Amino acid sequence: MNFSAVVGQQAMKDKLLTSVHSGRVPHAQLFLGGSGSGNLALALAYAGYLLCKNPAENDRCGQCDACRKVDSLTHPDLHFTFPFPSTIGDTCTDVYPQWRKALIRNQYLDYATWMAELASENKQGNIPVKECHAILKNLSLKAYDGNYKILLLWLPEFLGNEGNVLLKLLEEPPEKTLFLLVCNNQDRLLSTIISRTQIIRIPPVDEEAIAAHLTGREGASQEEAARIAMMSGGDLVKALELLQNTENPYLDAFRNWMGYCYKRNMHMAAKWSDEFSGSGREHIKGFLRYGLEIIRAITVMEYLGERNGLSEKEKEFVSKLGSLLSPVKMVRIYDWFNDAAYEIERNGNAKMIFTELSFKIAKLFM
Ligand SMILES: [Zn+2]
């Protein structure tokens, strides 16, 4: 994968290239960001650049023997470790054919898609101790090309305490051995690992870059691309999902939640808040943006009688909610959602925020 194929993220690309050009490549780096930020794609492009035999200033050549092997995921000095369910193998080698297929097709792979690919949606992925031992073995061998030897460890948060067997290697790796850890959730990562890596925080993708990608590569209209880019919150995975699904993935969550509040089923509302708050900060932010858009649609509908840009299911939901709550009450919810988005942005406790919102909204229905 070339840097040019990574959507947006110019500052990150520059930073990574600078580390190579200045001869200061840290031996353990943590690419921290959501799947839709392109953290995996960036790590792959970086590994490809480091292994390329004939790199240009800003990108790898894409044509040399090393580049071709990286593209087919058969480069002997590029190793991968990733979570998988223990029912289908002992080490990543056992699952490598599926991994190759999934990653060649999609460098913006996310955990849910990967598990679905393995037909293991209901099983828990894991990086087992046998895989940790395989890493130690693989990295103790000399590089084939006498150049870098790279381990790309996708989702190190799935390492249990057995991940500690890697600490010594992370701290003092053999010469020209690099660890690229691609992580979605720092909170779930062993602190012993965090402290041994250099953290690179990958921000969300620029909305303009997402919109340009949607119009250029995905054939979306300018208007649709701009709307989806705005709703995606800089998450390319989410943007592509939104483009594919005529139905917004947040609709069901929003409808269920409002249903619990309306029936004043606070037990279910609390359960919903609990589950939803674990779905990741970017996802929650996207949900709140979606909620704001729906509420705006309701209030606009009140005045203009228009429901443009909504799907049939959304229109149905919007009419129902609009019939249950007065415009004044809708405006109050709108303000609360804005406040919640502000608090989430500042690392507020999502579970508490949604539980409190549930009570306030339930009261409005009385
Ligand atoms: Zn090359």
Side-chain angles (χ1 to χ4, degrees):
M1 163 160 246
N2 290 18
F3 276 118
S4 61
V6 178
V7 178
Q9 303 293 13
Q10 194 53 49
M12 289 295 122
K13 293 174 190 173
D14 292 344
K15 185 179 164 139
L16 292 168
L17 285 163
T18 303
S19 76
V20 184
H21 297 147
S22 64
R24 280 198 293 267
V25 176
H27 65 259
Q29 301 178 64
L30 184 71
F31 290 68
L32 183 63
S35 298
S37 70
N39 56 351
L40 175 59
L42 274 167
L44 262 177
Y46 187 50
Y49 189 80
L50 288 163
L51 293 169
C52 176
K53 300 274 195 227
N54 190 22
E57 180 81 12
N58 293 323
D59 220 328
R60 57 173 209 158
C61 79
Q63 292 174 1
C64 70
D65 184 44
C67 282
R68 282 206 301 271
K69 283 181 179 156
V70 167
D71 285 339
S72 60
L73 301 184
T74 55
H75 197 294
D77 295 324
L78 179 58
H79 300 270
F80 291 92
T81 287
F82 41 82
F84 60 91
S86 56
T87 46
I88 61 171
D90 289 334
T91 68
C92 290
T93 309
D94 299 327
V95 198
Y96 200 68
Q98 292 98 309
W99 172 253
R100 262 187 80 194
K101 202 171 128 204
L103 189 58
I104 287 173
R105 190 164 53 204
N106 178 15
Q107 287 90 43
Y108 283 79
L109 191 64
D110 63 303
Y111 178 69
T113 308
W114 168 233
M115 293 305 273
E117 196 90 27
L118 295 172
S120 302
E121 290 102 321
N122 300 321
K123 300 198 184 96
Q124 176 65 33
N126 175 33
I127 299 177
V129 68
K130 278 188 180 163
E131 173 61 21
C132 296
H133 288 298
I135 294 174
L136 296 177
K137 192 170 149 238
N138 285 334
L139 295 186
S140 68
L141 304 169
K142 258 205 150 33
Y144 279 76
D145 283 346
N147 202 343
Y148 286 108
K149 195 167 194 54
I150 301 173
L151 175 75
L152 197 159
L153 205 171
W154 186 54
L155 305 182
E157 51 268 52
F158 284 86
L159 281 168
N161 282 327
E162 50 270 24
N164 286 322
V165 305
L166 299 174
L167 296 182
K168 195 168 176 322
L169 190 64
L170 267 172
E171 211 160 61
E172 293 168 10
E175 213 192 332
K176 291 213 147 186
T177 300
L178 302 180
F179 286 89
L180 307 181
L181 281 64
V182 177
C183 174
N184 289 162
N185 191 340
Q186 187 182 355
D187 299 344
R188 296 206 186 133
L189 193 55
L190 295 172
S191 57
T192 44
I193 289 189
I194 298 175
S195 64
R196 285 165 175 82
T197 58
Q198 177 146 333
I199 300 180
I200 307 172
R201 287 179 202 281
I202 316 288
V205 186
D206 286 343
E207 278 181 23
E208 298 83 56
I210 289 193
H213 181 76
L214 295 181
T215 49
R217 295 286 297 276
E218 305 290 331
S221 69
Q222 298 274 358
E223 201 180 29
E224 188 181 27
R227 185 178 66 86
I228 290 175
M230 194 266 288
M231 282 174 67
S232 73
D235 180 331
L236 187 68
V237 174
K238 180 68 56 201
L240 293 172
E241 266 173 30
L242 289 172
L243 186 65
Q244 253 180 18
N245 293 348
T246 42
E247 216 48 78
N248 192 295
Y250 295 129
L251 175 62
D252 279 340
F254 194 30
R255 207 165 41 179
N256 290 341
W257 184 33
M258 287 299 114
Y260 302 138
C261 293
Y262 171 66
K263 291 178 198 146
R264 284 184 285 287
N265 186 341
M266 300 327 284
H267 169 69
M268 284 307 288
K271 193 163 171 260
W272 182 93
S273 302
D274 190 24
E275 281 170 13
F276 190 73
S277 56
S279 66
R281 205 157 288 275
E282 291 308 318
H283 186 253
I284 293 171
K285 274 152 58 179
F287 173 79
L288 287 169
R289 269 193 302 275
Y290 177 73
L292 286 167
E293 198 167 286
I294 287 289
I295 296 166
R296 199 181 306 132
I298 295 173
T299 43
V300 166
M301 207 177 80
E302 283 292 322
Y303 295 109
L304 304 174
E306 275 178 24
R307 301 171 193 184
N308 284 343
L310 298 181
S311 72
E312 286 306 314
K313 255 171 113 179
E314 283 172 327
K315 282 179 193 167
E316 199 183 301
F317 174 60
V318 160
S319 316
K320 194 160 175 200
L321 199 59
S323 70
L324 293 170
L325 293 169
S326 67
V328 175
K329 287 181 173 176
M330 290 312 314
V331 170
R332 293 185 70 182
I333 299 184
Y334 191 86
D335 290 341
W336 293 339
F337 271 37
N338 257 330
D339 293 346
Y342 181 86
E343 285 169 41
I344 294 285
E345 186 69 52
R346 273 146 201 82
N347 288 326
N349 181 319
K351 190 179 160 184
M352 274 169 59
I353 292 169
F354 279 103
T355 305
E356 198 192 322
L357 263 179
S358 301
F359 278 99
K360 291 204 297 199
I361 294 172
K363 260 192 185 163
L364 280 189
F365 280 116
M366 288 201 222

